Amino acid sequence: MDKVALRYLLRERRALIAPESHGLSRPTRQGRRAPGLSQAQIDQLLHRAPDTYGRLESGRYPNPPVDLLEDVARLLGMNEQEWVALWRYALGQDPPHPLNARAGEAVPGTWQLALDGISHMAYISDRSWNLLAHNEPFAALFPDRRVPPNTMRWMTVEPEARAVLRQWETAWAPLVLPQLRAALAADPEDPTLCGIEKEVLDDPLAARVYESASAYVHPDGGDRPVHHAEHGPGWITVCAAQPMAAPRARLLILPFHPGERRPARPRPLRAHG
């Protein structure tokens, strides 16, 4: 627990919430000049015992329960990055899930500027693999630059994809379909993912791979063969990351290597002491 950082985080967020916005009056007793909700008002709004929130803010609450952290974070209007910070300061670990169940459906618009500045193919998809943004090199991968609206659906069931994704049955499907399984395990009610799974199960070839899929769920660092619409056969290296403000969204940067031969694997990057 980092008591100092926890106190600063909670105090700053609390100061931004006007008591009047919750039908409460601003305390007028002498000596209190701190803006925002008082600690007692937070206990009142959360229906908690007196001094519950005060113990949390001051670091006197060891191992606070998940529901308390969630209630406090939502009342104080925390974003996903502040939610992660709250867990790290209070419990010394990352949260088991995003604060917002629909986190990862949108990213800041400045990401388009970032993508446009990348020379390699690059795109961002949301938590359901719907395409949010991409750059021109990525569009050039596809015949007639027809960029698919959902990259998971395209990779798994679109017939055109099996011409672009060389060795689809052995080099792509066994690595892509487990990602669909993992996403559905985390969010079995997602309508987009459920629709893709139905299409996969209706496709005999995709269904066979899906039902025997391995536990592989992470694309970062892998090399896969493709047939680029403008540059012909080659390989892409999958570099995967996540925008910090949008848990479960994905940033993919895909360097292209022309030719039939798999590119040499670079050495891992490590800091030199």
Side-chain angles (χ1 to χ4, degrees), residues 239-255:
C239 301
Q242 176 181 276
M244 296 293 290
R248 298 182 183 172
R250 304 166 185 85
L251 164 65
L252 277 295
I253 301 174
L254 309 170

Side-chain angles (χ1 to χ4, degrees), residues 91-103:
L91 291 170
Q93 63 190 61
D94 285 346
H97 54 74
L99 179 62
N100 181 355
R102 303 307 300 175

Side-chain angles (χ1 to χ4, degrees), residues 127 181-195 197 248:
R127 62 201 304 274
R181 272 192 179 278
L184 277 165
D187 192 356
E189 303 301 321
D190 184 293
T192 300
L193 299 178
C194 289
E197 183 185 47
R248 298 182 183 172

Side-chain angles (χ1 to χ4, degrees), residues 115-132:
L115 292 175
D116 291 340
I118 297 173
S119 60
H120 299 299
M121 294 182 283
Y123 72 91
I124 296 176
S125 62
D126 71 8
R127 62 201 304 274
S128 306
W129 279 277
N130 295 308
L131 196 68
L132 298 179

Side-chain angles (χ1 to χ4, degrees), residues 81-100:
Q81 291 163 287
E82 291 165 335
W83 169 240
V84 171
L86 175 63
W87 268 77
R88 290 178 179 177
Y89 297 155
L91 291 170
Q93 63 190 61
D94 285 346
H97 54 74
L99 179 62
N100 181 355

